[in-house]
Amino acid sequence: MTTPTLLPRVAVLGYGSQGRAHALNLRDSGIDVVIGLRPGGPTSERARADGFDVASLRDAVASAGLLALLIPDMGQAQLYRDVIAPNARPGACLLFAHGFNVHYGQVVPRDDLDVVLVAPKGPGALVRREFEIGRGVPVLYAVHQDRSRHAEAFALAYCAAIGGARQTPLRTTFKDETETDLFGEQAVLCGGVTRLVQAGWDTLVDAGYSPELAYYECLHELKLIVDLFYEGGVTRMHEVVSETAQYGALTRGSRVVDDATRERMRAVLAEIQDGTFARQWIAEYASGNARYRALKQADLAHPIEDVGRSLRARMPWLAGAAQPATKNMQAPA
């Protein structure tokens, strides 16, 4: 197993959910870490309070041999062009936690750089918590450029230093990590589940059932099933739920998610594969995000949200239980 001692000084660029977890785990593994942030940025004080040296992005990049680019996707291309490309050491290693910008050509790394991917399959808080108790979340890794002939060793050493090598890291490619990650978010984890929950709630309320009862059945209890999936897949779910629930699921589930649904999923995947989604999102961001903000506000304005807030206020055990849900979420540098 590659050891963390192979890593040179690491500049963690960004100190959000993943950035903070990576930085703390790297330091606890004996790696020299500097945090690169914009002067006066919102996370500077937190990084200093955690005991890190905080430098400007330019100085952090110039001082390190491995650059972990952990700011949000849409800020990475400009940061690369303005700061990393002109200031990175010759032969440095550039590390991403998501392949979006490299795969879709928004970042075209210098020819002399090693370029790798290390993507923990969990939010930053979980990455840190599992490390602290001696475990680690699953990690994907990939190599895009191997100029030094040591790029894979750097990626595996980084996996080890953040705790990911406590499980076997899974080698992939920037392409496959990006496309499967986007598809999972859009068709299942965020887009698909949200729409399924809202549609289920609407169906019950439109039929005259209590909004509160509909909330419990279509949203609240979803966690119980997801936890079973997490523990042991569909097999575990079938072991625990009632036979009535099993029979209903087996005979009715395919009427909700049918061949037409699968065809639409294939269309979503095709737009990811051919770059349609990436071009649309990049253009939306560049134009000021008006449509994105409107769509998000419509989601937040769905009446299930008001019902949920009222019911959750009666569940004191939920306070502080939630963790950041977006595995690639980062705070601005």
Side-chain angles (χ1 to χ4, degrees):
M1 176 63 67
T2 306
T3 61
T5 55
L6 285 174
L7 288 176
R9 188 184 208 205
V10 175
V12 173
L13 309 178
Y15 203 68
S17 171
Q18 290 287 345
R20 182 172 187 264
H22 288 214
L24 291 168
N25 293 2
L26 288 164
R27 184 176 65 186
D28 288 352
S29 295
I31 306 304
D32 182 19
V33 177
V34 60
I35 308 300
L37 298 169
R38 295 188 182 91
T43 54
S44 296
E45 289 307 311
R46 188 177 193 192
R48 289 192 177 92
D50 286 337
F52 286 106
D53 291 332
V54 178
S56 69
L57 289 162
R58 180 187 181 282
D59 289 346
V61 166
S63 72
L66 190 148
L67 314 173
L69 187 48
L70 299 175
I71 68 168
D73 289 337
M74 291 300 101
Q76 290 183 8
Q78 182 176 356
L79 179 60
Y80 177 79
R81 289 193 302 269
D82 294 350
V83 178
I84 296 174
N87 295 296
R89 294 176 177 180
C93 181
L94 180 59
L95 181 144
F96 294 83
H98 181 39
F100 184 97
N101 280 287
V102 170
H103 178 52
Y104 291 117
Q106 300 306 293
V107 170
V108 180
R110 277 177 10 200
D111 285 343
D112 66 296
L113 300 177
D114 286 340
V115 182
V116 301
L117 170 82
V118 174
K121 301 310 291 177
L126 183 64
V127 172
R128 178 58 178 166
R129 186 166 66 248
E130 289 294 292
F131 179 92
E132 289 181 304
I133 62 178
R135 300 186 307 214
V137 303
V139 176
L140 306 180
Y141 78 98
V143 175
H144 178 71
Q145 285 185 181
D146 185 11
R147 299 304 182 234
S148 70
R149 299 188 183 277
H150 300 296
E152 183 171 10
F154 285 138
L156 287 171
Y158 192 96
C159 287
I162 65 171
R166 293 168 180 172
Q167 300 194 34
T168 302
L170 177 64
R171 178 155 185 167
T172 184
T173 65
F174 274 64
K175 173 184 181 295
D176 287 0
E177 185 277 335
T178 300
E179 294 178 356
T180 57
D181 185 82
L182 293 176
F183 176 80
E185 291 169 352
Q186 294 172 24
V188 181
L189 304 176
C190 303
V193 167
T194 298
R195 290 295 175 261
L196 184 64
V197 166
Q198 292 171 339
W201 187 89
D202 290 340
T203 300
L204 287 178
V205 173
D206 290 348
Y209 296 100
S210 157
E212 292 79 10
L213 188 59
Y215 178 87
Y216 284 132
E217 297 303 328
C218 296
L219 191 153
H220 179 79
E221 292 193 19
L222 181 63
K223 182 185 186 313
L224 308 179
I225 302 304
V226 170
D227 284 349
L228 295 174
F229 286 161
Y230 193 74
E231 291 170 10
V234 175
T235 298
R236 179 62 175 155
M237 184 270 289
H238 279 297
E239 291 172 349
V240 172
V241 304
S242 70
E243 289 183 333
T244 302
Q246 292 180 60
Y247 178 75
L250 292 168
T251 59
R252 267 66 176 176
S254 59
R255 290 165 58 179
V256 177
V257 179
D258 59 10
D259 288 343
T261 307
R262 295 172 187 274
E263 186 61 35
R264 288 190 292 271
M265 283 185 165
R266 285 190 283 269
V268 168
L269 179 58
E271 291 184 353
I272 292 168
Q273 293 171 324
D274 68 16
T276 298
F277 168 77
R279 290 189 295 272
Q280 184 182 47
W281 172 220
I282 292 165
E284 173 68 23
Y285 189 86
S287 67
N289 279 331
R291 182 170 181 266
Y292 161 72
R293 289 196 301 270
L295 290 169
K296 182 177 179 179
Q297 185 54 44
D299 224 23
L300 298 177
H302 190 283
I304 196 175
E305 293 302 292
D306 287 333
V307 175
R309 276 187 288 271
S310 175
L311 292 176
R312 289 191 298 272
R314 307 173 199 173
M315 305 177 199
W317 62 88
L318 294 178
Q323 297 294 338
T326 305
K327 53 193 171 297
N328 298 313
M329 183 185 295
Q330 302 297 338

